[in-house]
Amino acid sequence: MTSAGRTTTSRRAPNHSIAAFFDLDKTVIARSSALAFTRPFYSGGLINRRSMIKSAYAQLLFTLSGADEDQVEKLRAHVTDMCRGWPVDQITSIVNETLHDIVEPLVFAEATELITNHQSRGHDVVLISASGMEMVEPIGAMLGVDAVRASRMAVVDGHYSGELEFYCYGEAKADAIRELAQERGYDLAECYAYSDSITDLPMLAAVGHPTAVNPNRALRKEAVDRGWPILSFDRPVGMGDRLTPSPRTVAVSAAAGAGVAAIGAAFYYGWLRNRLAHH
């Protein structure tokens, strides 16, 4: 581990001049990594049923709506508040024990193919996310990337304080990319970046080859205006290369407007609350 928000997941010598920077949520995986571990955290006694319902509701909204600044801020506030007081060792243990069961089915096949393509061309691959290092670093190791940059929560006496030491978000992501490029000698004009959200515009603009992946409305417009490529990833791959239904399929039903999404969210919220009440 290096300084805040920084870690390296590979021992390969950093002698490449080109890197590909990947956002994580809805770019490499189909959901929010910060909320993906809600059920094992519940099973581990870290959250109650009410918190689990709130997380499921937040996850649904994150899936159905674009990850704009307001949505990301709500997720950040929810996650940091939920984690306050949690023991770091227990979180590390739960994430490591459940990583493959929880995250592997969410990884987009197209993302893994793109990562492999970059690696075959001699490019370093960097996973960069606003989610916590506790989740992002093991995911990066699972994917075989060369480095990870992610948010880090402050720790007091072995427990999370609920405050962030480093928030790898917005302009801070671009700063992290520039810092890593200086350390490793990357030529940013030759580097690549992939993201789904307008909040990552600074990150995308920092490299010579930006690409919008599953972009929200604002990023799609920006990509069209700037002539950036746009990719659609919709094939999450489960264990044994089994294909699983993509949450983006559900999102199609929300295309008619916010009213449809609101009705769907309310229905799901009620269904989940009733289900949990009987368990």
Side-chain angles (χ1 to χ4, degrees):
M1 181 72 67
T2 55
S3 63
R6 303 168 55 202
T7 187
T8 298
T9 60
S10 171
R11 296 182 179 178
R12 187 169 65 175
N15 57 2
H16 303 109
S17 63
I18 299 176
F21 300 92
F22 285 81
D23 172 52
L24 179 58
D25 300 346
K26 298 179 73 174
T27 302
V28 174
I29 66 174
R31 294 170 58 189
S32 163
S33 54
L35 299 177
F37 292 90
T38 298
R39 182 167 291 279
F41 289 161
Y42 171 72
S43 299
L46 292 168
I47 60 176
N48 56 27
R49 290 179 177 178
R50 180 179 180 183
S51 295
M52 186 172 178
I53 291 172
K54 286 177 65 177
S55 293
Y57 182 61
Q59 185 72 262
L60 181 71
L61 292 183
F62 183 82
T63 300
L64 294 181
S65 63
D68 58 18
E69 185 173 355
D70 181 64
Q71 184 68 24
V72 172
E73 174 57 23
K74 288 179 180 179
L75 282 173
R76 183 208 62 77
H78 170 69
V79 171
T80 54
D81 182 65
M82 182 176 64
C83 294
R84 185 176 289 109
W86 286 4
V88 176
D89 290 346
Q90 186 178 2
I91 298 305
T92 300
S93 176
I94 290 175
V95 170
N96 288 336
E97 289 175 2
T98 62
L99 176 69
H100 288 276
D101 289 340
I102 296 295
V103 176
E104 191 171 339
L106 302 177
V107 178
F108 286 120
E110 298 94 335
T112 59
E113 291 165 3
L114 189 56
I115 288 171
T116 299
N117 178 269
H118 277 291
Q119 291 173 330
S120 70
R121 294 157 64 187
H123 302 166
D124 281 358
V125 174
V126 179
L127 198 61
I128 182 163
S129 174
S131 293
M133 183 64 76
E134 294 77 9
M135 288 82 166
V136 182
E137 186 173 28
I139 293 173
M142 182 182 73
L143 295 171
V145 305
D146 298 280
V148 166
R149 294 293 184 269
S151 298
R152 291 192 64 194
M153 289 188 68
V155 176
V156 178
D157 296 330
H159 294 73
Y160 295 113
S161 70
E163 303 297 327
L164 285 169
E165 283 186 350
F166 173 70
Y167 190 21
C168 193
Y169 170 76
E171 190 62 44
K173 267 193 180 183
D175 290 341
I177 285 176
R178 286 187 283 266
E179 180 182 348
L180 186 59
Q182 185 174 9
E183 290 177 1
R184 296 194 166 199
Y186 297 144
D187 180 356
L188 287 179
E190 298 298 326
C191 288
Y192 298 77
Y194 303 89
S195 179
D196 70 293
S197 175
I198 190 63
T199 62
D200 282 338
L201 187 60
M203 161 186 166
L204 293 169
V207 302
H209 302 286
T211 297
V213 177
N214 298 337
N216 57 17
R217 183 178 299 178
L219 181 58
R220 180 176 294 276
K221 181 179 185 303
E222 194 73 29
V224 170
D225 290 345
R226 296 186 183 220
W228 292 348
I230 298 175
L231 298 177
S232 295
F233 293 173
D234 60 4
R235 291 191 292 124
V237 176
M239 298 181 70
D241 293 330
R242 292 176 301 173
L243 297 181
T244 61
S246 168
R248 294 181 65 248
T249 302
V250 180
V252 173
S253 65
V260 176
I263 293 171
F267 175 81
Y268 184 83
Y269 182 91
W271 172 82
L272 182 61
R273 182 177 58 188
N274 290 334
R275 181 174 179 177
L276 287 176
H278 289 86
H279 282 75

